[in-house]
Amino acid sequence: MPTSDHISESVFKDTITHAVQNVFKTMFNATALLAEEPQTAAHDATENTRDILIEGQLVVGTVGFIGDISGLIYLYMSAPFANQLAGHILGMTEEELEESGDEVVNDAVGEVTNMTVGVFKNQLCDHGYPCKLTIPSILRGSNFSIEPITSASRRIYRFKIGTNILVADLLMKQGD
Amino acid sequence: MRYKILTVDDSKTVRIIVKKAFKSYDCDIIEAANGVEGLATAAKESPDVILLDVTMPVMDGVEMLTKLKSDPALKGIPVIMLTAEGGRDNVLKIAKIGVRDYIVKPFKEELLVEKVGRIIDLKPIGDGAQAKAKSIFDPASILVVEDKPAIVQQIQDGIKHTPWKIIGVNTTGEAIDHCSKTPPDVVIISLSLPDEAAFTLFRLLRTNVKTKYTPIFGLVVKTDTTVLQQAQQVGFSSIVTKPIEAQDLEAKIAKAMNLDTSERYFATEDNILLMRLPENTTPGVVAEVTQYLKPKTADAVDSGICRVVVDLHALKHFDMTVIKLLFTTMQTFRELALQYVLVGNSQIVTECKGFEDTKGWQFVDSVEDAKAQLNKGAPVLATAG
């Protein structure tokens, strides 16, 4: 059975870049630019936190994929950027969003993550790695770090969307 | 009958996007957050289309679809999968269960409307499917698909006194691009475009949900009866013949857009109803004014107006249809006990004196004089100077 070990770095990079760009172009009419080369296999929590490099409160969406290939993708963004995305996708003003509370923003970020991971994993499916999406979840806070288990490979990709930063943190289960 | 669209998705965001996409269409959006709720709602509401996500808690979309298709009462409801699950194998598996269409997220709202519009007859909200502008004085956009710039110019010149914007394009490709971005209020297509392109474009516009109800006119040389008949058979909303008569074109556009043209002829000023006839009061204009006369007079009476000025100063000459209209008008005013004064020019006054039935009509020179006359109390009908 094929595992993520058989997939080259360039395929990961191209696949996640296409996914982020597709979602932001289609849903927000925005261009996402891959900012720098990915940081791979960095398991140290301090190092990981440094790679995220977004200040202030973060909103993090996560969706997994399970099947012939399994993993998780976290999308990190600042709280103001999350609000901006939610306002655009829902057609709501800042005041309306504030009135509705974090739940609405969380749901929108969850959906953006779901779409992004969907596009990512659909490409993997078409490359011969069938898998299914899991239900999205959301983390909010500051000064926290995600620590993957040692058997997982990790790649972090930073995207610039206008003046905002979006970080895609890709954790893949490695072959048994 | 108002169509019902059921959206089954655990994401409130997607359900809001669906609502937003259809807000300007005459349909109801019903929501369910998972397959169990979706099945129950489908049984209760009998929706016309279901938009179904795959990955959901409690019961996922595949399970709901399977149950739906095994229920004789529900299996006929068309289902469009609207999901981030778009790998080839997934799509094939779901297609086998029986879905009408498939939309993979991310998606544009326009695509959603277009795909649903292929299943149900989506109509924009409003009085009459195509009427965006209600009044003859509201702006509207008219797309002219014509490879001869002189014709486009002729149309622009002919209706330049209206607030309508004419957009000229040379090819059907440009027309399709324009319609997909900003659907016009009326499309005029030259039937002499090469390779029967006008008919191909007509069919494409009719199958697109955005232009399904847009009035489409054919533009053809009067003598080309074969093409003219072909266009009528295909279902063009109206045919405009060359050489173009601007007034005729304007009337056809107003009719196709279901515009209220009464403001051209009726207005209220200083608590007085003002009825004006234009310089060229054709039989078409007479018919329009006749149609508006009673409702406009009734509205005026209802709002407490009891004085009328009939302004004929722009009119160039009388004919029998105009005279008949004025007899009807004055009869209506007398029946409702409305005071009225006629305003005329010297030509009209002279012509009136030439007819036995109208020689007794009296006029004042201007609307101001007429208002002053009415304000004095009982109207005094003076002869124009």
Side-chain angles (χ1 to χ4, degrees):
Chain A
M1 184 186 289
T3 66
S4 67
D5 308 347
H6 297 93
I7 303 172
S8 71
E9 284 304 319
S10 64
V11 169
F12 278 123
K13 189 174 86 173
D14 293 347
T15 308
I16 189 69
T17 302
H18 171 70
V20 171
Q21 288 178 340
N22 186 358
V23 169
F24 279 83
K25 186 76 201 159
T26 309
M27 302 308 292
F28 305 101
N29 201 24
T31 306
L33 298 169
L34 183 63
E36 57 191 48
E37 287 302 302
Q39 309 294 308
T40 56
H43 298 306
D44 178 80
T46 314
E47 285 297 315
N48 295 340
T49 309
R50 198 177 298 149
D51 291 332
I52 304 305
L53 279 177
I54 300 175
E55 288 178 1
Q57 200 193 36
L58 297 178
V59 182
V60 186
T62 178
V63 172
F65 43 96
I66 302 163
D68 282 11
I69 191 166
S70 299
L72 273 174
I73 293 180
Y74 292 90
L75 290 187
Y76 292 75
M77 63 194 82
S78 69
F81 186 34
N83 287 354
Q84 202 180 312
L85 294 181
H88 186 285
I89 204 169
L90 300 170
M92 291 167 86
T93 62
E94 266 181 52
E95 293 74 30
E96 286 169 331
L97 273 180
E98 205 169 305
E99 212 170 283
S100 308
D102 286 349
E103 198 191 322
V104 170
V105 178
N106 288 353
D107 194 84
V109 171
E111 192 49 43
V112 171
T113 312
N114 184 45
M115 289 178 185
T116 308
V117 182
V119 178
F120 176 84
K121 81 97 196 167
N122 288 339
Q123 293 172 88
L124 294 184
C125 289
D126 292 344
H127 277 110
Y129 300 95
C131 46
K132 281 181 156 188
L133 292 175
T134 65
I135 289 165
S137 60
I138 296 292
L139 299 165
R140 265 179 184 269
S142 46
N143 297 320
F144 64 83
S145 62
I146 307 292
E147 287 189 50
I149 54 169
T150 49
S151 62
S153 68
R154 183 175 204 179
R155 294 163 183 84
I156 294 174
Y157 302 87
R158 293 169 61 80
F159 294 90
K160 274 195 86 173
I161 298 160
T163 55
N164 296 292
I165 298 290
L166 178 92
V167 176
D169 188 355
L170 171 56
L171 304 176
M172 300 288 290
K173 189 179 171 190
Q174 291 180 305
D176 296 326
Chain B
M1 188 195 72
R2 209 170 152 84
Y3 287 105
K4 291 178 190 172
I5 301 168
L6 170 61
T7 166
V8 187
D9 204 305
D10 59 322
S11 163
K12 196 175 177 185
T13 298
V14 172
R15 303 199 306 263
I16 291 174
I17 295 172
V18 170
K19 268 190 167 175
K20 199 152 62 85
F22 292 100
K23 72 177 179 198
S24 50
Y25 293 92
D26 190 21
C27 58
D28 290 323
I29 306 295
I30 314 156
E31 300 176 41
N34 58 57
V36 172
E37 278 185 26
L39 279 174
T41 312
K44 188 180 163 206
E45 299 281 353
S46 299
D48 299 286
V49 182
I50 298 175
L51 299 171
L52 183 57
D53 187 18
V54 171
T55 311
M56 292 182 289
V58 187
M59 182 193 284
D60 69 20
V62 177
E63 195 180 346
M64 175 180 157
L65 182 64
T66 310
K67 287 185 189 298
L68 192 85
K69 291 296 167 191
S70 61
D71 184 333
L74 305 177
K75 69 178 182 187
I77 302 172
V79 175
I80 297 178
M81 299 304 290
L82 175 59
T83 173
E85 287 285 1
R88 271 192 298 264
D89 292 347
N90 260 320
V91 175
L92 286 173
K93 184 181 156 197
I94 293 164
K96 277 183 191 164
I97 311 173
V99 293
R100 182 68 74 87
D101 214 330
Y102 209 103
I103 300 173
V104 180
K105 297 174 189 173
F107 61 93
K108 290 229 175 267
E109 289 176 17
E110 291 86 347
L111 179 71
L112 184 59
V113 172
E114 189 196 321
K115 295 224 174 194
V116 171
R118 286 182 197 165
I119 297 173
I120 58 175
D121 191 17
L122 277 178
K123 286 184 181 170
I125 291 171
D127 181 18
Q130 68 276 45
K132 269 192 208 163
K134 297 287 182 196
S135 157
I136 192 81
F137 296 117
D138 286 333
S141 63
I142 295 155
L143 179 69
V144 181
V145 191
E146 167 64 86
D147 54 5
K148 298 176 193 70
I151 301 288
V152 178
Q153 189 61 49
Q154 205 182 328
I155 294 173
Q156 272 167 342
D157 292 343
I159 57 175
K160 66 181 175 195
H161 58 283
T162 69
W164 303 338
K165 187 181 171 195
I166 304 294
I167 304 122
V169 294
N170 292 317
T171 63
T172 55
E174 286 175 71
I176 292 164
D177 282 350
H178 182 85
C179 289
S180 65
K181 285 176 197 153
T182 44
D185 295 285
V186 173
V187 181
I188 301 174
I189 309 173
S190 169
L191 299 180
S192 58
L193 291 174
D195 305 324
E196 297 215 327
F199 295 96
T200 309
L201 177 60
F202 175 85
R203 279 187 285 273
L204 283 170
L205 294 178
R206 278 288 170 265
T207 52
N208 186 327
V209 71
K210 284 184 177 177
T211 49
K212 204 178 199 174
Y213 299 100
T214 305
I216 304 176
F217 293 4
L219 185 59
V220 63
V221 179
K222 202 177 268 181
T223 50
D224 196 349
T225 48
T226 313
V227 174
L228 199 148
Q229 280 170 5
Q230 192 185 349
Q232 282 167 337
Q233 280 165 4
V234 166
F236 274 77
S237 315
S238 189
I239 306 294
V240 180
T241 52
K242 292 191 253 187
I244 298 165
E245 287 176 23
Q247 204 173 7
D248 173 58
L249 174 62
E250 190 183 331
K252 282 180 172 163
I253 292 171
K255 190 178 174 196
M257 288 170 64
N258 197 22
L259 298 181
D260 177 3
T261 55
S262 66
E263 289 172 42
R264 272 180 180 160
Y265 315 113
F266 294 92
T268 304
E269 283 178 17
D270 306 326
N271 211 27
I272 291 172
L273 176 66
L274 202 57
M275 173 178 155
R276 286 193 191 96
L277 292 188
E279 178 183 330
N280 188 12
T281 301
T282 59
V285 170
V286 170
E288 266 189 319
V289 177
T290 307
Q291 176 199 330
Y292 290 126
L293 179 64
K294 288 205 171 162
K296 283 287 162 187
T297 310
D299 286 349
V301 171
D302 288 347
S303 57
I305 291 172
C306 56
R307 296 170 302 170
V308 188
V309 173
V310 181
D311 183 5
L312 309 176
H313 88 273
L315 198 62
K316 287 289 182 207
H317 64 87
F318 269 142
D319 62 25
M320 281 315 291
T321 56
V322 176
I323 292 171
K324 208 171 156 188
L325 167 67
L326 290 170
F327 269 117
T328 309
T329 302
M330 288 187 269
Q331 178 65 25
T332 304
F333 294 162
R334 277 194 294 270
E335 282 169 5
L336 293 166
L338 296 174
Q339 296 177 342
Y340 62 90
V341 174
L342 304 177
V343 177
N345 56 46
S346 53
Q347 169 75 20
I348 291 300
V349 172
T350 308
E351 284 191 33
C352 269
K353 290 195 184 302
F355 294 108
E356 185 59 32
D357 291 336
T358 60
K359 68 180 180 189
W361 289 4
Q362 292 184 308
F363 294 86
V364 296
D365 289 338
S366 67
V367 172
E368 285 66 38
D369 288 350
K371 285 180 182 174
Q373 208 71 58
L374 288 165
N375 285 333
K376 279 183 194 169
V380 177
L381 304 176
T383 306

